[in-house]
Amino acid sequence: MQQNVPDFTALLRSAKRSAVHLEMRDSYMEDPVFAAWREGREVDLPQEYRQWQALVKETVARGVSLRRARIVSEPATDYIRWEHALTTPHNIACGENVRWLPRRVASDLCLPGNDLWLIDEERILFHWFTGDGEWAGHEFNEEPDTVKMVTTAFEAVWDRAIPHEQYTV
């Protein structure tokens, strides 16, 4: 179901009020910056990181609330420790609001089966990954019942989640 999937940058630029991102995996595809961090090497942020930062700043400057919630296992994987230590401070500096929810306190929440972006509580872009965390595709959805379910799930996660500055890994 990858047909009719809008370009992500265009989708985020279309946001008028809100853009929320729900992440539920403990690791994702291999990233050269992550590999360098894991090996103790210092690396400049690649161009795609700087492009993301510019897009976030542009989106927030238009008055769009940008929130990211991560459901994580504890103890955290190296990937999550890297996100917490390195990438999340960059996200926050650009205007994102980020919270963390330990998986152990999410058991009674009804959650969608995949990571996603929800734009203006109207449009969803689901992301699919392989078991190894590699990109597998995505699906666009505007079905009202699915949008309502995703909105409710995200808000339940957000209400329980711990703000980045208070969460330690």
Side-chain angles (χ1 to χ4, degrees):
M1 290 236 271
Q2 295 187 43
Q3 64 275 21
N4 301 322
V5 174
D7 171 74
F8 178 74
T9 299
L11 183 63
L12 192 55
R13 283 188 172 136
S14 75
K16 293 177 179 45
R17 299 175 308 281
S18 65
V20 302
H21 190 187
L22 181 60
E23 297 178 10
M24 299 182 287
R25 294 185 54 86
D26 288 319
S27 65
Y28 292 86
M29 57 209 117
E30 190 62 30
D31 182 299
V33 179
F34 169 55
W37 176 85
R38 193 175 47 213
E39 295 166 6
R41 293 184 287 119
E42 193 170 315
V43 173
D44 289 331
L45 290 180
Q47 182 65 27
E48 57 266 18
Y49 280 68
R50 291 190 294 280
Q51 289 170 336
W52 172 249
Q53 291 171 337
L55 181 59
V56 169
K57 287 177 183 177
E58 168 194 316
T59 302
V60 171
R62 291 187 293 107
V64 175
S65 168
L66 210 154
R67 298 182 291 160
R68 179 186 303 255
R70 292 184 172 125
I71 300 174
V72 296
S73 298
E74 294 176 319
T77 62
D78 284 347
Y79 194 95
I80 295 300
R81 282 193 288 280
W82 167 67
E83 282 190 327
H84 189 273
L86 186 69
T87 64
T88 302
H90 287 287
N91 294 105
I92 291 169
C94 294
E96 283 191 50
N97 194 343
V98 180
R99 292 187 182 181
W100 304 82
L101 182 64
R103 195 172 307 283
R104 64 183 160 71
V105 296
S107 297
D108 62 339
L109 296 178
C110 188
L111 299 169
N114 294 292
D115 288 10
L116 59 92
W117 278 92
L118 172 64
I119 307 297
D120 291 331
E121 296 181 4
E122 297 171 352
R123 294 160 284 152
I124 308 162
L125 186 61
F126 288 108
H127 296 300
W128 305 324
F129 296 91
T130 67
D132 293 334
E134 294 299 318
W135 178 251
H138 46 214
E139 174 185 353
F140 185 67
N141 188 306
E142 296 178 288
E143 202 283 317
D145 289 341
T146 305
V147 168
K148 181 179 178 184
M149 180 273 297
V150 165
T151 300
T152 301
F154 182 86
E155 293 305 330
V157 168
W158 190 257
D159 288 346
R160 280 191 196 179
I162 302 163
H164 175 73
E165 57 278 356
Q166 297 172 15
Y167 183 72
T168 55
V169 292

